Amino acid sequence: MQEQDQGLHIDLARLLHSTAGRRQALRWMAVASMAPLPLLGCDGGATSSGNNSGSTGSVSDGGSSGTSGSCAVIPEETAGPYPGDGSNSNGNGIANALQLSGIVRRDIRSSVGGASGVAEGVPLTITLKLRNSTNSCANLAGFAVYLWHCTREGLYSMYSSSVLNENFLRGVQESDANGELSFDTIFPGCYDGRMPHVHFEIYPSLAQASSAANKIKTSQLTFPLASINEAYTASGYASSVSNLGRISFASDNVFSDGTSLQMCSVSGNANQGYVATLELAIAA
């Protein structure tokens, strides 16, 4: 008489009575416990033309659209006292570089709008890759980034007295279909009390990048200490070397809680210049 199938739990109970059976049962249970689990991943290659968001590090280039994923949102940080985005004043009144003719540019080493100063220092190209944390880390096309930082001496154009009438090291760029944009600038100096850093604000579109009232994210980025130390061997960074010796990421009031989402990948050298890249996500 053929034995009737009484279910997996009965089969397992019988198998557990023998050594070989116990091994087989354990294999069955392991397979059964793993089967329902979904595969998780992060795709950064899909293109999103209507949303905005970005994140760093964990996003993979070259993925295809439609796959699921997640990426950590870059932390919100202070714009500091020298934003030049219309939210405060300098010695000449409201400071708003976003209203200047020519502020939308890749090369931010020179001033625009009638000013003629040029910032000297080790060449640096900063490339940002914007991702949407709420849409499978999709690329964010058509978003605008306003970026600014100090000179190699630690001064901010539009605010520091010696460069009050200059506006160099400030600029706006629009992200392309891959969510990317770049700025050609100089390696920023280190002023007393802060690790070397670059400020940026993200706007929903280039048209809206005219006032801080429209920004949707404010954050800062930084560089590996080895790259900073190497860059500061160049001429003009003597004060930065001194200031850097009195500060660390652990004691910095912005980066002391971690830099994993704000740390650029850097290549190059102090003689030929550097390229710094950061993938960042925002929740659109």
Side-chain angles (χ1 to χ4, degrees):
M1 180 175 178
Q2 185 175 5
E3 185 174 23
Q4 196 173 22
D5 184 7
Q6 299 181 44
L8 177 62
H9 66 288
I10 299 297
D11 294 337
L12 288 174
R14 290 172 177 166
L15 283 168
L16 288 172
H17 285 295
S18 69
T19 300
R22 280 195 295 273
R23 293 194 188 115
Q24 182 62 42
L26 290 173
R27 283 195 290 268
W28 285 1
M29 287 187 286
V31 171
S33 65
M34 292 172 61
L37 295 178
L39 295 175
L40 301 179
C42 180
D43 169 58
T47 299
S48 172
S49 59
N51 300 331
N52 47 334
S53 123
S55 143
T56 66
S58 61
V59 182
S60 172
D61 289 329
S64 58
S65 61
T67 60
S68 62
S70 62
C71 40
V73 173
I74 193 168
E76 182 77 10
E77 305 289 9
T78 176
Y82 314 117
D85 59 5
S87 62
N88 67 8
S89 300
N90 60 12
N92 297 326
I94 299 297
N96 192 353
L98 299 175
Q99 297 286 342
L100 293 171
S101 174
I103 197 63
V104 179
R105 66 303 187 26
R106 172 173 171 145
D107 192 333
I108 63 174
R109 290 172 290 186
S110 60
S111 291
V112 295
S116 58
V118 177
E120 301 292 336
V122 175
L124 169 67
T125 295
I126 298 174
T127 296
L128 302 181
K129 301 180 180 182
L130 308 185
R131 304 292 188 242
N132 188 346
S133 67
T134 63
N135 185 19
S136 302
C137 303
N139 301 333
L140 287 175
F143 287 77
V145 172
Y146 167 46
L147 180 145
W148 72 98
H149 63 82
C150 69
T151 66
R152 66 183 177 183
E153 297 84 10
L155 305 176
Y156 280 91
S157 68
M158 302 180 69
Y159 292 89
S160 302
S161 59
S162 60
V163 290
L164 179 64
N165 295 315
E166 301 294 347
N167 49 63
F168 45 53
L169 306 184
R170 300 177 183 273
V172 176
Q173 279 282 278
E174 181 181 26
S175 61
D176 62 17
N178 295 317
E180 296 185 13
L181 52 89
S182 297
F183 294 92
D184 295 326
T185 184
I186 57 104
F187 206 100
C190 178
Y191 55 86
D192 199 24
R194 283 300 317 276
M195 287 296 287
H197 61 281
V198 173
H199 295 267
F200 61 92
E201 295 171 346
I202 302 177
Y203 291 81
S205 68
L206 193 59
Q208 291 176 281
S210 59
S211 170
N214 299 325
K215 66 181 179 180
I216 55 178
K217 191 73 178 181
T218 303
S219 195
Q220 300 179 26
L221 60 82
T222 189
F223 314 94
L225 187 57
S227 298
I228 296 171
N229 283 324
E230 184 186 51
Y232 289 175
T233 63
S235 175
Y237 288 91
S239 62
S240 292
V241 173
S242 177
N243 291 329
L244 184 63
R246 297 189 295 272
I247 189 71
S248 68
F249 285 118
S251 60
D252 185 272
N253 63 3
V254 170
F255 299 127
S256 58
D257 59 351
T259 61
S260 61
L261 299 178
Q262 297 162 284
M263 180 67 69
C264 289
S265 298
V266 177
S267 61
N269 57 64
N271 293 324
Q272 297 176 320
Y274 296 92
V275 174
T277 303
L278 180 66
E279 290 195 10
L280 61 101
I282 60 173

